[in-house]
Amino acid sequence: MKCKICGTENPDGLNYCGRCGSPLSPVSEMPMVPEGGVPPALQPVRKAGRNMNLIIICATVIVSLIIVAAVIYFVAADKQTKSSRAYEDDEDEIELVSHSASKSSNEPMSSIDVVANTDLSDSYVSTKWLQGLTKQELRVARNSIYARHGRYFQSKELQEIFGRCSWYSPYRSEIPTSELNKYEQANIKTIQAWE
């Protein structure tokens, strides 16, 4: 039979059109309704596009959630990195000073050079020692801890001071707090409080 509405040929002998669901029998006949069901002519026609829209919506939601999670992760990681970095008050552009500029052993060392060469990595600084230091010497003492871990400084003054130390070998700009031992971390905090 041929459907009167859409013109589709229905070779399987069904009473309803397989394409549009309209009855193929004369209008006067009542269509057979399956028990507890809806006649095929009244059933909604499912389109492939509906499923595709659902897939696109689900994919969009999943991708959005992944992006939000990634942003949250990277923001948290950035905050953690910033909080774990050791800071130094920088003033000028980076300028490395050669170790060949060291003083000869015959010349007496200045108080700044003495402070710069003091190793603060194996004991806590004493209040008595800190009381005798100037503000500039306190700054050098705090940064000597970073210098011993290979930090180069943007401050021309600090770079020159540590450039005179025979042990100084700069190779990086940041020193993570996790690389500092308990004495170094405590000494930085104590010196900062005095500064």
Side-chain angles (χ1 to χ4, degrees):
M1 281 188 189
K2 196 172 198 176
C3 177
K4 293 177 185 174
I5 296 180
C6 68
T8 304
E9 190 69 42
N10 289 298
D12 6 350
L14 296 175
N15 292 333
Y16 295 95
C17 176
R19 183 171 180 205
C20 69
S22 62
L24 296 176
S25 59
V27 180
S28 60
E29 294 181 19
M30 285 295 290
M32 293 199 58
V33 178
E35 239 180 84
V38 177
L42 300 177
Q43 290 181 355
V45 178
R46 293 190 177 185
K47 296 181 181 176
R50 181 184 279 170
N51 290 337
M52 186 55 82
N53 288 343
L54 185 61
I55 290 170
I56 291 171
I57 290 170
C58 289
T60 304
V61 169
I62 290 170
V63 169
S64 299
L65 290 174
I66 290 171
I67 291 171
V68 168
V71 168
I72 291 170
Y73 172 79
F74 287 115
V75 167
D78 188 47
K79 283 183 181 178
Q80 178 65 29
T81 302
K82 285 181 181 177
S83 67
S84 67
R85 285 186 187 150
Y87 289 97
E88 167 258 327
D89 43 334
D90 296 329
E91 297 163 359
D92 304 322
E93 293 181 2
I94 297 171
E95 184 180 317
L96 298 178
V97 176
S98 167
H99 291 297
S100 61
S102 300
K103 289 186 173 186
S104 70
S105 58
N106 296 338
E107 293 181 39
M109 292 176 74
S110 69
S111 61
I112 290 285
D113 290 330
V114 170
V115 171
N117 280 290
T118 303
D119 187 357
L120 303 176
S121 63
D122 56 2
S123 62
Y124 296 111
V125 293
S126 69
T127 305
K128 184 177 179 181
W129 183 71
L130 291 172
Q131 286 175 340
L133 299 180
T134 65
K135 187 170 182 166
Q136 182 187 20
E137 290 169 338
L138 287 168
R139 179 177 178 230
V140 170
R142 175 174 50 84
N143 284 298
S144 70
I145 296 169
Y146 303 127
R148 289 190 179 271
H149 285 274
R151 175 150 190 200
Y152 62 82
F153 299 92
Q154 291 181 351
S155 165
K156 187 176 180 180
E157 178 189 17
L158 288 174
Q159 196 61 41
E160 287 176 1
I161 291 169
F162 293 115
R164 294 191 297 262
C165 299
S166 60
W167 51 263
Y168 183 55
S169 181
Y171 65 95
R172 58 186 172 168
S173 63
E174 295 293 334
I175 309 298
T177 304
S178 60
E179 290 187 25
L180 303 175
N181 68 32
K182 66 178 183 177
Y183 298 112
E184 292 168 328
Q185 290 181 27
N187 288 342
I188 287 170
K189 288 179 184 174
T190 303
I191 294 168
Q192 280 176 332
W194 278 81
E195 284 183 282

